Amino acid sequence: FPWWVRAVEQAWHLFAVAEGAEALRHAEKILEHHFETLDEELICRLYRAWSVTADIARNSAAMQDTITKLLRLGAVRSSALLKGTAYLIMADLNLSQGEFVKGETNSQLAVSYLTTSSNQYQLSYAYASLGVFQYLQNQVNAALQTLETALRGISSPGNQLELMARANIYYQIGMAHMLNGWPGLGKQDADQCLDDYQSIGQLEGTLAAHSLLTICNYFHGNIPASITA
């Protein structure tokens, strides 16, 4: 089972949707017979990685199917981690569909469940998700407070996944600072985001960080830097 979980995660990083779906199929065959005894952290990683892959592929049906499975497993195992992860994926789906009010509600539910789990990685993503929906609804000051809470929870990443989570939080803080009219602070966040993504060789995140740097430099009046960022 752990091997197939890693295969799904690798497919996510490579944007290999077909390979991810095949690895998921093998993992779920094992999960079907051992769902009561398998490590819930591994189950969480499996479905979180697949949901992100499905989101990139704009496959909302696959995301909804993942949500349903996690809620069912969470109920059977009385697992706050699995339930919280389901609501976090719901929020991702809300974001892709432009449902900001529903997304904020589901992010809050994810935070509520994940606060009672020991998974700081997922909790940080839930806070980051909540912060995004807040700034998308012009609640920028509230978003900055939420995102700073997310950052404090993962200030010293212990592995690549946590480093990726921190990079995402820096990116979102940079966006919120830009929306609040503070491009200088946004640039500092973008620089940290870029450092984190480059350290793990995450191409999509690196490109996003460069885009944020360009915007921050432009609005900070540093036109030459905005061209080369």
Side-chain angles (χ1 to χ4, degrees):
F1 188 73
W3 192 93
W4 291 117
V5 172
R6 288 194 293 273
V8 174
E9 290 175 336
Q10 187 66 18
W12 159 29
H13 297 315
L14 295 173
F15 311 117
V17 180
E19 290 80 0
E22 180 66 14
L24 177 70
R25 186 177 66 82
H26 287 286
E28 287 188 326
K29 282 184 178 180
I30 299 170
L31 182 59
E32 181 180 355
H33 298 288
H34 303 283
F35 65 89
E36 292 182 330
T37 56
L38 286 171
D39 183 357
E40 68 173 13
E41 295 275 349
L42 285 174
I43 298 172
C44 171
R45 283 173 50 190
L46 172 72
Y47 283 119
R48 187 76 181 110
W50 172 242
S51 75
V52 177
T53 307
D55 195 12
I56 293 169
R58 299 291 185 265
N59 190 339
S60 58
M63 293 178 72
Q64 188 59 60
D65 182 58
T66 298
I67 292 164
T68 300
K69 290 172 179 174
L70 277 171
L71 287 175
R72 184 173 66 246
L73 286 167
V76 169
R77 297 189 51 161
S78 300
S79 169
L81 174 60
L82 299 181
K83 292 176 185 176
T85 302
Y87 283 108
L88 182 54
I89 296 170
M90 281 188 207
D92 290 341
L93 186 55
N94 296 143
L95 182 62
S96 68
Q97 296 175 341
E99 299 173 333
F100 299 158
V101 175
K102 287 182 179 179
E104 183 178 3
T105 298
N106 284 324
S107 296
Q108 288 171 335
L109 285 167
V111 168
S112 178
Y113 277 110
L114 292 169
T115 298
T116 65
S117 79
S118 59
N119 193 309
Q120 193 62 48
Y121 168 71
Q122 293 295 341
L123 178 59
S124 293
Y125 260 112
Y127 273 119
S129 176
L130 177 57
V132 169
F133 285 110
Q134 287 172 328
Y135 76 60
L136 287 172
Q137 296 176 91
N138 297 316
Q139 305 165 26
V140 182
N141 289 330
L144 283 168
Q145 292 179 5
T146 300
L147 291 165
E148 290 292 346
T149 299
L151 186 60
R152 284 195 298 273
I154 202 161
S155 58
S156 300
N159 54 52
Q160 284 196 349
L161 285 176
E162 291 182 359
L163 197 57
M164 189 183 302
R166 189 178 72 172
N168 173 62
I169 294 166
Y170 274 121
Y171 178 86
Q172 304 302 347
I173 293 174
M175 289 293 294
H177 277 145
M178 275 296 304
L179 290 171
N180 231 17
W182 299 329
L185 290 176
K187 181 185 179 304
Q188 293 176 24
D189 303 320
D191 281 332
Q192 184 62 62
C193 171
L194 181 60
D195 287 346
D196 282 354
Y197 276 131
Q198 286 183 328
S199 71
I200 56 176
Q202 221 284 341
L203 179 58
E204 183 187 28
T206 298
L207 293 174
H210 276 297
S211 296
L212 180 57
L213 267 175
T214 298
I215 296 170
C216 291
N217 280 319
Y218 179 84
F219 283 102
H220 203 230
N222 192 346
I223 306 303
S226 72
I227 296 172
T228 58

